[in-house]
Every structure is written in structure tokens, then in C-alpha cells.
Amino acid sequence: MRKFILVVLIIMLLAAIPAYAQQPTPTEQPQPVALAPELMDTGVNAFEARDYDKALLDFSLFILLNPTYSQGYYLRALSHLGRDDADSALADIQQAIDLMPDNPQYGAVLYNLRGDIYSNLERYEEAIADYTEAIDLNPSVELYFSRAQLYGLIEDYENALDDLDAAIAEAPDDPVLFIYRAIINTEMDDEEAAAPDYYRFMQLIETDRIEHDALVDSEPQFVRMNQGVIHQFELEGERNQVVSIVAQGRPGDNVDPLLVLLDEDGDVLAANDDYDQRADSVIIDFQLPSTGTYFVLVSHSLGGFQGEVAVAYQVTK
């Protein structure tokens, strides 16, 4: 699925299982009075210090004394994940779910965690089912986005779009949501729907805009890409003229160009992230709707933002 799979894998790597150590304590939830609560405290301290063996010992002793305490199993599951033991973690999460109190927010934490584990194990259908349980209990932007990624991986694009729409409704200034929705629409061959989202992503990450000389047919200009920078070029065109535009990173540079074409009123006409499974961006054989000035914007996508980019256009008809 071209870029979508690559981006999803990048996000999954960034959210790898050991990262769960960042937040060992779930939302507050009612539990019976615990015996030896100091074991919970020392276990959390060990966990935060990444001493997972000590954390496992403390949480196991706590569970021995409090076998019906859901949070103990949840914390021990996180400790298993710290040791890359997904099977033991899954067993503890099931116990935590079986014993969880009537607290939707806490329940969503448990199902979300198990969904993340299934996702990393590439058990996508099971992950989607758990994300769905979590969303039913306590919907969030993060849950909709996680489920959308998996729908994209199994090529269920309609459901992926529904989840991204729901996430964007709650977080309209999150650039990653827009580029993912653009990627999904691109996978569905709906370039018209994808183009405004690519541009919205570019706007949301913008830190600076640099204006360059007007593009001349078949004469490339070279720009240095940096995070959040948009390079703007004018292009003079005639009605019904067919043009192709390319933004190509220099081989070996860590740069993933993103290309947008605007009319003189600033309305989006076309856009492209990757072309033919390459990081280069190409708008190919686009017919200009009128005679006048157009704007070519070049920035970067999620794959990298450091390096040199060649920008050029050519009249093809």
C-alpha cells in the first residue's frame, strides 16, 4: 500500500511496547482496600526505574495478597512488556479485564493496551476488536487513530476514513490526522479528496515560508528543506495547458518532499506525497483550468525533512 504501510510502521516503532513504561498508573478507579499497598508503590518505583524484574516481584507479591485487585494485574502486565514478554502481559491483561470495576475510562485503558500489543504482534483483527471495545467505553482521538491505522493496513479504507473523520472532528489542528486521511484517499485513488488534506497538513506544520523565483519550464531550482519550512514558487500557465511538476530529494538525504499546487486565489488544485512507491512527489499531466499565475508549494511529509530538493515543471501538452 505504498506510503501508508511505511508511515504506519514508523508510528508503531515509535510506540513500541517498552514505551508503555512512560505511564504505569491508569486512571483512578474504585478498588477494594488493598493489603500491603506499599508493594504497589515500590513496584511502581522499580517500574519507572526500568527495573522490571523488581517490579514483577513486587506486583506478583501484591497480587498474591490481593488476587481480585485488577490494577495489580495491569501493572504486572506493563512489567512483562518491559521484559518483552507479550504472552505473559496478555494473560495479565485478561485477568485485569475480568476483574475490572465499573469504570469506563479504566476499562478503555485496558482494552487499548491489549489492542496495542495485538497490533505489534500483527494480530490486526484482534487489535481492532479491542480498540472498538475501548472506543465504546471511552472514545478518544488516539483510539480512533489507532484503529484507523489498522483498518488501513487491512485495506478497509472506508472504515479507516470514518475513524479519521471522527478523530479530526475532535482534534482539527493535528497535522498527522490530515496526512493520514490524505494517504487513505490516495490509496482509494481519490486524489481530489486527498489534495486539501495534504495542503492542510502543510499549513499546520508550517514554521516559515520562503518565496523563490518563478519556475521556468524544464529548469530545476534547488532548495534546502528544513522542518516546517514551505518553499513557494510561482508558475505562469495558460488555460488547458498540461503540466507536470516534480519535487525530488537528493539521493541519500533524509527528505520526503510534499508537493501542492494552488491557483491564484489560493485554492488547492492538486497535491502529491509519494509517486510510484518513491519518496519523490510528482503532479503529472495536470490540465490548468485558466490562464494566470499558479503557486507551487514544496514542504515535507512524515518520512524526513532534512536535505536538498530539486523542484521543476514541464509543459507536456
Side-chain angles (χ1 to χ4, degrees), residues 270-309:
N272 182 254
D273 185 358
D274 292 338
Y275 179 74
D276 195 25
Q277 303 185 42
R278 300 193 304 270
D280 303 328
S281 295
V282 181
I283 296 172
I284 190 165
D285 290 340
F286 182 82
Q287 186 173 18
L288 301 178
S290 61
T291 298
T293 301
Y294 295 84
F295 299 98
V296 175
L297 305 183
V298 179
S299 189
H300 62 84
S301 186
L302 298 177
F305 52 81
Q306 293 181 328
E308 192 173 59
V309 177

Side-chain angles (χ1 to χ4, degrees), residues 19-303:
Y20 298 134
Q22 296 172 2
Q23 179 51 267
T25 305
T27 56
E28 290 185 5
Q29 33 89 26
Q31 289 273 241
V33 176
L35 298 175
E38 64 276 6
L39 288 170
M40 179 84 75
D41 295 334
T42 58
V44 168
N45 290 336
F47 183 87
E48 291 177 341
R50 300 192 178 187
D51 185 351
Y52 301 124
D53 291 336
K54 175 67 164 59
L56 276 172
L57 176 61
D58 287 347
F59 294 139
S60 295
L61 289 173
F62 178 85
I63 289 169
L64 185 64
L65 296 172
N66 302 275
T68 62
Y69 204 99
S70 173
Q71 192 178 12
Y73 294 97
Y74 166 81
L75 292 170
R76 191 170 70 175
L78 292 178
S79 302
H80 284 305
L81 291 174
R83 300 176 74 248
D84 296 322
D85 186 352
D87 289 337
S88 296
L90 288 171
D92 271 348
I93 294 169
Q94 185 60 59
Q95 282 288 91
I97 289 172
D98 291 342
L99 296 169
M100 68 181 180
D102 184 15
N103 185 298
Q105 191 174 4
Y106 174 61
V109 168
L110 295 177
Y111 281 111
N112 183 25
L113 176 60
R114 192 168 68 177
D116 289 345
I117 298 170
Y118 283 145
S119 178
N120 278 277
L121 294 174
E122 299 183 4
R123 294 163 62 174
Y124 298 135
E125 295 290 351
E126 291 165 287
I128 287 171
D130 272 350
Y131 290 143
T132 299
E133 290 281 357
I135 288 168
D136 289 343
L137 287 168
N138 190 43
S140 70
V141 171
E142 293 75 18
L143 285 168
Y144 281 121
F145 182 55
S146 294
R147 193 170 67 175
Q149 291 181 75
L150 298 191
Y151 278 137
L153 279 171
I154 64 173
E155 300 185 20
D156 185 350
Y157 298 133
E158 293 292 347
N159 275 321
L161 283 179
D162 287 344
D163 276 351
L164 289 168
D165 289 345
I168 287 171
E170 295 298 321
D173 295 324
D174 187 333
V176 174
L177 298 176
F178 284 94
I179 201 161
Y180 267 73
R181 190 168 69 178
I183 291 167
I184 289 292
N185 276 310
T186 299
E187 294 293 338
M188 297 176 72
D189 295 321
D190 192 346
E191 302 286 352
E192 184 177 354
D197 279 347
Y198 282 129
Y199 183 40
R200 184 60 180 148
F201 168 83
M202 190 181 286
Q203 290 175 305
L204 288 169
I205 67 167
E206 180 177 359
T207 59
D208 190 19
R209 186 172 299 210
I210 302 173
E211 296 184 6
H212 297 272
D213 295 337
L215 291 171
V216 177
D217 188 1
S218 302
E219 295 185 10
Q221 292 192 43
F222 297 88
V223 298
R224 172 63 57 174
M225 190 60 61
N226 288 294
Q227 187 172 12
V229 174
I230 297 176
H231 297 275
Q232 179 175 302
F233 306 84
E234 291 187 0
L235 185 158
E236 297 297 327
E238 299 178 3
R239 184 175 183 271
N240 294 329
Q241 205 171 47
V242 178
V243 301
S244 293
I245 310 168
V246 61
Q248 183 177 20
R250 185 173 64 181
D253 283 358
N254 181 31
V255 61
D256 181 12
L258 177 62
L259 183 61
V260 173
L261 176 65
L262 307 178
D263 66 15
E264 62 183 0
D265 295 323
D267 295 325
V268 183
L269 298 177
N272 182 254
D273 185 358
D274 292 338
Y275 179 74
D276 195 25
Q277 303 185 42
R278 300 193 304 270
D280 303 328
S281 295
V282 181
I283 296 172
I284 190 165
D285 290 340
F286 182 82
Q287 186 173 18
L288 301 178
S290 61
T291 298
T293 301
Y294 295 84
F295 299 98
V296 175
L297 305 183
V298 179
S299 189
H300 62 84
S301 186
L302 298 177

